[in-house]
Amino acid sequence: MAAPGGARLATGRNAEETRAARVLRGGVAVVDPVLLLGLALAAGAPLALAPAPTALGAALVAAALRRHVGGLALAVAGVALVASGLRARALLDRAGDLYDGATALLQPPARCEVTGAVVGSPVVVGTAARRSRGGARAPEAAEDEGEPATARVDVEISGGTCGGRAVPGPLRARLYGAPVDLARGDRLDVVVDLAPLHLFRNEGLRDATAAIARSGVVASGTIVDARRTAEGRSIGAAVDRARASVRERIEATFHPDATALGRALVLGETDLAPEDQAAFRESGLAHLLAVSGTHLVLAVAGFAAALRAILVRVGPIAARWDAGRITAALCVPAAWLYADFAGGGGSATRAAAMLSFAMGARLLGLRPVGVRSFALSLAGAGAVDPLVACDLSFGLSAAATAGLLWLQRPLAAALVPGPGEGSEDRAGGGPLGLSSARARARQLLAPVATTLAAMLGCAPLLLMNGATFPLLGVAANVIAAPVGELAALPFCLAHAVLSWAPSVERGCALVGSGALLVVRSIARVSAETGAVLRLPEPSPAQLAALAATIALASVAARRAERLAALAAGAAAWLLLEVVAARAGAPRGWLRVHVLDVGQGDSILIDLPEGGAMLVDAGGFVGSPVDPGARVLQPLLRARRRARLDAVVLSHPHPDHFGGLPSAVAGVEVGELWDTGQGEAEGAGPVYAGLLSDLRRRGVPIVRPASLCGRPRILSGATVEVLAPCPDLHPDLGANDNSFVLRITYGARSALLVGDAEHEAEAALVARYGAALRADLLKVGHHGSRTSTGPELLAAVDPSVAAISCGVRNRFGHPSPEVLARLAARGVAVARMDRGGALTWETDGEQVLWSRPGAPSSPAPVGGAGAVPSGAAGAR
């Protein structure tokens, strides 16, 4: 008779462990109904943002699991998914309404005198960038140099005025230049230059309103003057004051080159110098400076070990109570307090929830199950915030945890196949030596398996948020992770509580700084190798196929079935990649995308035979945002565009060329069309660097003399350069020397006039007259009153007019006079500051146009029957 054992209750194992064992198969827990529920609740955002692919993926997952989980569990998960998706959609719609209200109130941007309360922990910004520009220096020198540290803080405005207009409140804004000693709950009187957030709403990119829906922040600005009228008294305020104290001690005791690294690790303040941000991202080591779930677990585990060691030595407590349960009860609030202290990011919050469920099981006398705690953390997060999947740190934390739970053991076994220390090896002499060698190999390769499992789990999210995947990431992590997690983290955390012991505090700062600088050196060396894999961003359909593949592989009973599931998933991925590439380069259609890049111009054109051209790339002097990196790079990547047949710089002003260097980086360029005025008159280092880089790459630079009077057939479309012809006009400025392009396909055409003003317009009308006729007009000079005169409108007679202006522009663009002239002719107006980008397309006869979030609508032919402004695509 067999001895009692296994997974039966008679063994003495608790009921929780036995029930969990029934839902696990070979370490796989995807059939755990709680995990299904958690995944469904956390998938609300994907369902709201990409309903068709997400619904299809959910159906495929349900089909794969139908024999491995009860019908009731699948039904509950389905209902939870739909409910979470509807909640997410409602939050997104409400965020859109909030943003529209803020845009109406704050456009143009205004100086505001308002009252409000701090609702977010202050985050110090800008200190690392200043050090990067001017070299390392002691922190106390910043104030002497006129650059005191300032913070970014979220404030809920309850009343006041903006530019003479009353603020109805509440309105939540992110303010820069705030005092670093603020805390949540503090009441303020503030003078601030305020403007709506710029969301860069472009079709094909992720919905920018998700950030508003999660934070409530609809505006931002720089503080001119701030006065605290009352102090907050909440727990959050106490946490913020503790953060300020620790920040001050880090600045005072850490090596100057390591202060930003220390603040990132301990406080969650990402204020690294640009070169360090790039190095950590490209090396795959960014998680070592983030307040990740691992960091939280290590910190709370250290607290728990110290507390338990104390409790077991207190006789009355040890005699009457279980020290482990007391420790577990105290670890739950400690986890949440630490997550809040460390910035309250999604990663730390998810880890705090997972740890809380594990400690709750321990408190109840149950054995914690990692998979179940992970499932409950997902379910809790999705129930509280249906848009939690939009939080990158949360997603990376969950994906890394999933990778560790389900991939670490298989990868370890694959690295060193065969039995480790089986009993049969102990029976004989020779096999024991082989077993010992395997055991040592597994110990050496365990960190590799762990790192690889976490990175594979995160790979889809990393590809969604960056064009590269670090090939040396595993090696860099194996080297840097022990330094970061065993030296930097414990010493930096100890430093945070040792201000009462200055000598010990300085010692911890010395060791912590050294460890952080070692990690930074590893990141820089790894990034400098340039060993990265460049892959396109996964489409929603590909992510749905990935989810179905994981489900099929997870429930496969035999290795052959798992391999078949993986092979089918790979084939589906490749097929969907072909579909995505064809969708990004449509055939038989001319598509003109007038992009939302702020107060600047950028137009991406899909040509009828699959080619593409780019006209301008936005940019603005003094703005920290690079539209080339923020908009154009992701857009080209999502469309699988590795080549541009022609790049056109309409004229050498920064709001047209500022984003070009990053937009064309890594992209094959057929030609650059440039008026040459910038080179002749000197347009600054960005322009000069762009030309130098393209010449180095062998890209021809074509001037007006080679373009005028010679229509080009580019990938099936006819492109005519109408001005400046036959060459630059030396007596005119850059605006009136803008390239004017007429792009024709079949019977339809678009006219792009750059920043041409009345003098250039008069010359166009005199030279071409009715030949200027076009269905789409890209309005000149962002809708300024100096452009779009009645004579030009009469000659062009457009049905749709696109105005490239930003919500933060202070020039009054578009001019009321221009809008009135367009309205008088019945022209549909698409303003980039109201509703985002315009996509105008034609097959040579039919014409359609759309805005982000709205279906394509037929555009009228001719000005007389034009659709009213904003009728398609605007909110």
Side-chain angles (χ1 to χ4, degrees), residues 28-33 35-41 43 46 52-71 73-75 77-78 81 540-556 565 569:
V28 176
V30 293
V31 292
D32 183 343
L35 183 60
L36 282 180
L37 177 64
L39 291 170
L41 289 170
T54 305
L56 178 59
L60 292 174
V61 169
L65 301 181
R66 69 186 187 280
R67 296 181 182 178
H68 303 272
V69 66
L74 284 176
L81 174 63
Q542 285 175 314
L543 294 176
L546 177 63
T549 301
I550 292 172
L552 282 170
S554 299
V555 298

Side-chain angles (χ1 to χ4, degrees), residues 226-283:
R227 182 171 62 89
R228 181 163 40 199
T229 59
E231 288 190 351
R233 300 294 181 185
S234 64
I235 294 176
V239 170
D240 287 344
R241 293 188 180 100
R243 282 169 54 86
S245 176
V246 170
R247 183 188 300 117
E248 181 182 359
R249 299 310 303 157
I250 289 174
E251 293 283 352
T253 58
F254 272 51
H255 186 280
D257 288 344
T259 54
L261 304 175
R263 289 194 287 110
L265 182 65
V266 177
L267 302 174
E269 294 183 347
T270 306
D271 184 33
L272 305 184
E275 59 271 21
D276 285 341
Q277 286 182 333
F280 275 95
R281 181 181 64 252
E282 293 170 10
S283 64

